[in-house]
Amino acid sequence: MTPSSDKDLNGLDNPSFVDEDGSHCCSSSACAAWGPEEGGGTGPSGIKLGYTVIDVPPWYLCILLGIQHFLTAMGGLVAVPLILSEGLCLQHDLLTQSHLISTIFFVSGICTLLQVLFGVRLPIIQGGTFTFLAPTLAMLSLPTWKCPAWTQNATLVNASSPEFVQVWQTRMREVQGTIIVASCFQIFVGFSGLIGFLMRFIGPLTIAPTITLVALPLFESAGDMAGQHWGVAFMTIFFIVLFSQYLKNVAVPLPSYQRGKKFHFSPIYLFQIFPVLLGLSLSWLLCYALTVTSVLPAAPTAYGHQARTDTRGDVLSQAPWFRLPYPGQWGTPTVSLAGIFGILAGVISSMLESVGDYYACARLCGAPPPPKHAISRGIGVEGIGCLLAGAWGTGSGTTSYSENVGALGITKVGSRMVIIAGACAMLLSGVFGKIGAILASIPIPVIGGMFLVMFGVITAVGISNLQYTDMNSSRNIFIFGFSVFAGLTIPNWASKNSTLLETGIIQLDQVILVLLTTGMFVGGLLGFILDNTIPGTQEERGLLAWKQSHEGGMESSQLVSKVYDLPFGIGTKYCNVSWFRYLPACPKRLSPDKRMDELKAVGQKNSVKASLERNSEIGADTRI
């Protein structure tokens, strides 16, 4: 199939989805040169994409793909408040749990919009972070905040009684205060440029174990969720793998309308674009059919009960149709020193994870690696997101979601407009309580099967960063292997022997425990220290190839500007003041002389390229 300009009209005939031989690539010369504004192409990493980061798919594709990302993140979004509910004495108050889920949906939508529009500007979802759960649960386990015995008995709990409301809201307000204070540290690290300064010393041997250990330690939680019913989990895996790998080159003819062609059928590669959404939907429908026919057991203790679609039916019936979350909805936040240090440890781990996610996301969405100012802005905006999460009372901070980075690798659609649509879906789900309750009813084994696929992709993306290094070097083999293995071993030991790490100072114990039980922090820190202390050449460490991947001609610098500069002309057309260039989070502008030199160099390069193209066209096959 030859490329067509129809894609600009309806987005259905995207040339990046098919080639003459049926392969999955971009077939137009403009697309081959990786011009995202032309629709798709191949990014600097060599990954072939349907839509790159600055492409704008048709509105209906944005909505469907945005919903897919929302569904991908929903497992983590729902899991955070459900896990936290036990520490907040809410395990028998399903309605309040539903309110917490709606709140985290709403805040995650706001934080995602801030991150995509003003932060790192990559297509990355923001949501509740698991790194805050360990210090939060540790704080709530202190004698002061330990749940009263009567809240553990469902027959004694009256969710509407003032006494019970006071019990859980005082604990939530304490969690809110610690998150708000800790978020100020992240805001400072980001907008001060401190994280950008540290990036001078971070190379492939630091990023690779960090990203790899984002996913590897999650094998237990993914296995537990999938293990609720392995048949349903493998069915979900089968559908996702079938659509994303085996049927990705199969075009589905769907009716379309254009002014010139009227009604006609256009080939759309549905299986490539919507593998996760299709896989989840089919598995969900089959689980519903098995629930209605009573094939799945109704007894709560029976194996496979969690695969039923009615296990959280009470939430759906009790949730209000409309509820707008607002800051301070649980009361005025309070602060104590006991929880701040533990949350700070979670903030440090979250920042390191997010930096790795930025590089993975850029690689998978067809964007150049993020420059320092974009990373600084991203970390700073994540700090603002944590502050908003604390103010609204989600019970957790926010961070970049690794599972959505994995979804980019499967769908080959990296447009940030899709993530904006997903953020709007989160906002709507947070406002309309019934929508959040319905989405929360996706069976746990279905989410577990999806996680097995997603986390595998993230692990492979982390390892792929080693392509820049010399892996024939025993130095690099040792650094990566030791960092990954220690990142799995040390957290496993620390979680089982936490009493041996006690110093007698509760706050210090929390910091030590959180840091040592976070695999990505342990592995990333070891990789950082060893890579910067063990002697090795720049080429051996992969820093030369790493820097070359950041550089390019004028096209590359223009692309960096399109992807990572502030939106709406901020800093260029509007608010263009001289002191902006001194801010660490603002892009640096080239001087007129340097810009003219680059333009001349690009002109010479383009003239040579045009000459080569004319020579190649002399003997070219002119088949239609």
Side-chain angles (χ1 to χ4, degrees), residues 113-423:
L113 288 176
L114 290 176
Q115 187 65 269
V116 175
L117 293 176
F118 302 103
V120 73
R121 305 215 67 208
L122 288 171
I124 193 164
I125 290 286
Q126 302 291 293
T129 172
F130 288 89
T131 60
F132 282 23
L133 286 179
T136 300
L137 293 175
M139 181 186 71
L140 294 175
S141 65
L142 298 175
T144 306
W145 302 112
K146 192 173 182 180
C147 292
W150 61 271
T151 62
Q152 312 300 315
N153 191 337
T155 60
L156 299 178
V157 172
N158 181 6
S160 59
S161 67
E163 182 182 7
F164 178 76
V165 172
Q166 180 69 12
V167 166
W168 74 264
Q169 285 192 358
T170 53
R171 286 157 176 77
M172 173 60 81
R173 291 195 291 266
E174 187 71 15
V175 173
Q176 289 181 250
T178 56
I179 292 175
I180 290 174
V181 173
S183 65
C184 296
F185 171 75
Q186 187 170 2
I187 293 173
F188 169 77
V189 171
F191 289 117
S192 66
L194 182 59
I195 189 69
F197 171 77
L198 294 176
M199 290 307 297
R200 298 180 183 179
F201 308 98
I202 296 178
L205 287 173
T206 301
I207 297 295
T210 301
I211 300 178
T212 302
L213 288 168
V214 167
L216 281 182
L218 297 174
F219 75 92
E220 187 173 357
S221 60
D224 290 341
M225 297 177 75
Q228 297 294 329
H229 196 295
W230 278 109
V232 172
F234 277 120
M235 177 178 62
T236 306
I237 295 172
F238 170 78
F239 284 138
I240 295 177
V241 173
L242 176 68
F243 297 148
S244 65
Q245 303 300 323
Y246 293 99
L247 300 180
K248 62 182 180 181
N249 292 328
V250 177
V252 179
L254 293 180
S256 177
Y257 174 80
Q258 294 177 12
R259 291 182 179 178
K261 295 183 178 180
K262 301 297 181 181
F263 284 100
H264 66 286
F265 285 88
S266 296
I268 303 178
Y269 292 83
L270 288 177
F271 300 122
Q272 181 203 359
I273 304 176
F274 305 117
V276 178
L277 183 59
L278 292 173
L280 283 178
S281 300
L282 287 177
S283 299
W284 195 357
L285 289 175
L286 288 174
C287 286
Y288 175 75
L290 295 176
T291 301
V292 173
T293 56
S294 299
V295 174
L296 295 172
T301 57
Y303 177 79
H305 175 73
Q306 293 298 326
R308 295 178 63 92
T309 57
D310 59 356
T311 54
R312 301 190 62 83
D314 291 339
V315 177
L316 181 60
S317 61
Q318 297 179 17
W321 281 102
F322 179 83
R323 180 182 180 274
L324 181 64
Y326 58 92
Q329 58 185 331
W330 318 127
T332 304
T334 59
V335 182
S336 66
L337 192 62
I340 293 177
F341 288 99
I343 296 294
L344 281 176
V347 167
I348 295 172
S349 300
S350 177
M351 287 191 295
L352 186 57
E353 176 188 6
S354 294
V355 171
D357 286 338
Y358 295 162
Y359 278 94
C361 183
R363 179 174 175 78
L364 290 174
C365 73
K372 296 175 185 176
H373 67 82
I375 294 176
S376 298
R377 268 202 325 271
I379 296 298
V381 170
E382 282 196 17
I384 295 176
C386 289
L387 191 147
L388 296 178
W392 257 267
T394 64
S396 178
T398 59
T399 189
S400 301
Y401 261 30
S402 304
E403 49 264 42
N404 289 87
V405 176
L408 296 176
I410 291 179
T411 63
K412 302 296 188 298
V413 176
S415 173
R416 58 186 169 210
M417 287 302 297
V418 169
I419 303 300
I420 291 176

Side-chain angles (χ1 to χ4, degrees), residues 103-116:
T103 300
I104 200 170
F105 283 170
F106 187 80
V107 174
S108 297
I110 295 176
C111 296
T112 300
L113 288 176
L114 290 176
Q115 187 65 269
V116 175

Side-chain angles (χ1 to χ4, degrees), residues 595-612:
R595 188 171 181 83
M596 186 60 66
D597 292 340
E598 284 200 357
L599 287 172
K600 292 180 179 179
V602 171
Q604 294 176 355
K605 179 180 178 181
N606 289 339
S607 63
V608 173
K609 182 179 179 181
S611 177
L612 292 175

Side-chain angles (χ1 to χ4, degrees), residues 60 79 115 167 208 279 308 332 354 425 463 495 540 587 589 594:
Y60 46 86
Q115 187 65 269
V167 166
R308 295 178 63 92
T332 304
S354 294
I463 296 174
S495 62
E540 182 182 16
R589 294 295 169 193
K594 290 184 177 180

